[in-house]
PDB file of all heavy atoms in Angstrom:
ATOM      1  N   PRO A 141      13.463  -6.880  19.009  1.00 84.00           N
ATOM      2  CA  PRO A 141      12.970  -5.974  17.961  1.00 84.00           C
ATOM      3  C   PRO A 141      14.069  -5.451  17.039  1.00 84.00           C
ATOM      4  O   PRO A 141      13.839  -5.249  15.848  1.00 84.00           O
ATOM      5  CB  PRO A 141      12.315  -4.818  18.740  1.00 84.00           C
ATOM      6  CG  PRO A 141      12.792  -4.937  20.131  1.00 84.00           C
ATOM      7  CD  PRO A 141      13.072  -6.389  20.344  1.00 84.00           C
ATOM      8  N   ILE A 142      15.284  -5.244  17.568  1.00 86.00           N
ATOM      9  CA  ILE A 142      16.391  -4.779  16.729  1.00 86.00           C
ATOM     10  C   ILE A 142      16.744  -5.839  15.688  1.00 86.00           C
ATOM     11  O   ILE A 142      16.952  -5.538  14.509  1.00 86.00           O
ATOM     12  CB  ILE A 142      17.616  -4.420  17.591  1.00 86.00           C
ATOM     13  CG1 ILE A 142      17.350  -3.131  18.363  1.00 86.00           C
ATOM     14  CG2 ILE A 142      18.865  -4.252  16.726  1.00 86.00           C
ATOM     15  CD1 ILE A 142      18.407  -2.788  19.369  1.00 86.00           C
ATOM     16  N   ILE A 143      16.776  -7.100  16.122  1.00 86.00           N
ATOM     17  CA  ILE A 143      17.066  -8.202  15.192  1.00 86.00           C
ATOM     18  C   ILE A 143      15.986  -8.291  14.121  1.00 86.00           C
ATOM     19  O   ILE A 143      16.280  -8.412  12.921  1.00 86.00           O
ATOM     20  CB  ILE A 143      17.181  -9.536  15.960  1.00 86.00           C
ATOM     21  CG1 ILE A 143      18.446  -9.538  16.832  1.00 86.00           C
ATOM     22  CG2 ILE A 143      17.208 -10.720  14.994  1.00 86.00           C
ATOM     23  CD1 ILE A 143      18.533 -10.720  17.783  1.00 86.00           C
ATOM     24  N   ILE A 144      14.721  -8.209  14.536  1.00 86.00           N
ATOM     25  CA  ILE A 144      13.607  -8.336  13.593  1.00 86.00           C
ATOM     26  C   ILE A 144      13.611  -7.190  12.583  1.00 86.00           C
ATOM     27  O   ILE A 144      13.430  -7.402  11.382  1.00 86.00           O
ATOM     28  CB  ILE A 144      12.270  -8.385  14.359  1.00 86.00           C
ATOM     29  CG1 ILE A 144      12.199  -9.672  15.187  1.00 86.00           C
ATOM     30  CG2 ILE A 144      11.084  -8.298  13.401  1.00 86.00           C
ATOM     31  CD1 ILE A 144      11.078  -9.689  16.194  1.00 86.00           C
ATOM     32  N   LEU A 145      13.844  -5.961  13.065  1.00 82.00           N
ATOM     33  CA  LEU A 145      13.861  -4.803  12.172  1.00 82.00           C
ATOM     34  C   LEU A 145      15.080  -4.804  11.251  1.00 82.00           C
ATOM     35  O   LEU A 145      15.077  -4.148  10.213  1.00 82.00           O
ATOM     36  CB  LEU A 145      13.838  -3.506  12.987  1.00 82.00           C
ATOM     37  CG  LEU A 145      12.534  -3.191  13.735  1.00 82.00           C
ATOM     38  CD1 LEU A 145      12.717  -1.980  14.648  1.00 82.00           C
ATOM     39  CD2 LEU A 145      11.402  -2.934  12.753  1.00 82.00           C
ATOM     40  N   SER A 146      16.127  -5.543  11.640  1.00 86.00           N
ATOM     41  CA  SER A 146      17.369  -5.541  10.864  1.00 86.00           C
ATOM     42  C   SER A 146      17.390  -6.578   9.758  1.00 86.00           C
ATOM     43  O   SER A 146      18.162  -6.436   8.798  1.00 86.00           O
ATOM     44  CB  SER A 146      18.567  -5.788  11.795  1.00 86.00           C
ATOM     45  OG  SER A 146      18.662  -4.784  12.770  1.00 86.00           O
ATOM     46  N   VAL A 147      16.569  -7.619   9.866  1.00 86.00           N
ATOM     47  CA  VAL A 147      16.673  -8.749   8.936  1.00 86.00           C
ATOM     48  C   VAL A 147      16.470  -8.317   7.489  1.00 86.00           C
ATOM     49  O   VAL A 147      17.323  -8.555   6.625  1.00 86.00           O
ATOM     50  CB  VAL A 147      15.658  -9.851   9.327  1.00 86.00           C
ATOM     51  CG1 VAL A 147      15.548 -10.888   8.215  1.00 86.00           C
ATOM     52  CG2 VAL A 147      16.081 -10.524  10.626  1.00 86.00           C
ATOM     53  N   SER A 148      15.354  -7.669   7.196  1.00 82.00           N
ATOM     54  CA  SER A 148      15.094  -7.273   5.807  1.00 82.00           C
ATOM     55  C   SER A 148      16.077  -6.193   5.354  1.00 82.00           C
ATOM     56  O   SER A 148      16.499  -6.175   4.184  1.00 82.00           O
ATOM     57  CB  SER A 148      13.659  -6.768   5.659  1.00 82.00           C
ATOM     58  OG  SER A 148      13.430  -5.647   6.492  1.00 82.00           O
ATOM     59  N   GLY A 149      16.471  -5.292   6.279  1.00 84.00           N
ATOM     60  CA  GLY A 149      17.435  -4.243   5.935  1.00 84.00           C
ATOM     61  C   GLY A 149      18.787  -4.816   5.563  1.00 84.00           C
ATOM     62  O   GLY A 149      19.431  -4.348   4.610  1.00 84.00           O
ATOM     63  N   VAL A 150      19.243  -5.813   6.302  1.00 89.00           N
ATOM     64  CA  VAL A 150      20.515  -6.470   5.987  1.00 89.00           C
ATOM     65  C   VAL A 150      20.446  -7.122   4.607  1.00 89.00           C
ATOM     66  O   VAL A 150      21.379  -7.021   3.802  1.00 89.00           O
ATOM     67  CB  VAL A 150      20.861  -7.519   7.065  1.00 89.00           C
ATOM     68  CG1 VAL A 150      22.017  -8.408   6.599  1.00 89.00           C
ATOM     69  CG2 VAL A 150      21.236  -6.836   8.372  1.00 89.00           C
ATOM     70  N   ALA A 151      19.328  -7.793   4.328  1.00 88.00           N
ATOM     71  CA  ALA A 151      19.167  -8.461   3.028  1.00 88.00           C
ATOM     72  C   ALA A 151      19.249  -7.462   1.885  1.00 88.00           C
ATOM     73  O   ALA A 151      19.903  -7.709   0.859  1.00 88.00           O
ATOM     74  CB  ALA A 151      17.838  -9.208   3.001  1.00 88.00           C
ATOM     75  N   ILE A 152      18.601  -6.301   2.041  1.00 87.00           N
ATOM     76  CA  ILE A 152      18.629  -5.269   0.997  1.00 87.00           C
ATOM     77  C   ILE A 152      20.038  -4.704   0.830  1.00 87.00           C
ATOM     78  O   ILE A 152      20.537  -4.548  -0.295  1.00 87.00           O
ATOM     79  CB  ILE A 152      17.630  -4.144   1.338  1.00 87.00           C
ATOM     80  CG1 ILE A 152      16.197  -4.674   1.279  1.00 87.00           C
ATOM     81  CG2 ILE A 152      17.800  -2.963   0.385  1.00 87.00           C
ATOM     82  CD1 ILE A 152      15.180  -3.706   1.807  1.00 87.00           C
ATOM     83  N   LEU A 153      20.714  -4.408   1.962  1.00 89.00           N
ATOM     84  CA  LEU A 153      22.061  -3.832   1.895  1.00 89.00           C
ATOM     85  C   LEU A 153      23.043  -4.788   1.216  1.00 89.00           C
ATOM     86  O   LEU A 153      23.909  -4.356   0.451  1.00 89.00           O
ATOM     87  CB  LEU A 153      22.554  -3.500   3.307  1.00 89.00           C
ATOM     88  CG  LEU A 153      21.938  -2.274   3.987  1.00 89.00           C
ATOM     89  CD1 LEU A 153      22.539  -2.085   5.366  1.00 89.00           C
ATOM     90  CD2 LEU A 153      22.156  -1.023   3.161  1.00 89.00           C
TER      91      LEU A 153
END
Side-chain angles (χ1 to χ4, degrees):
I142 288 172
I143 291 171
I144 294 168
L145 291 172
S146 299
V147 168
S148 60
V150 168
I152 294 171
L153 286 180

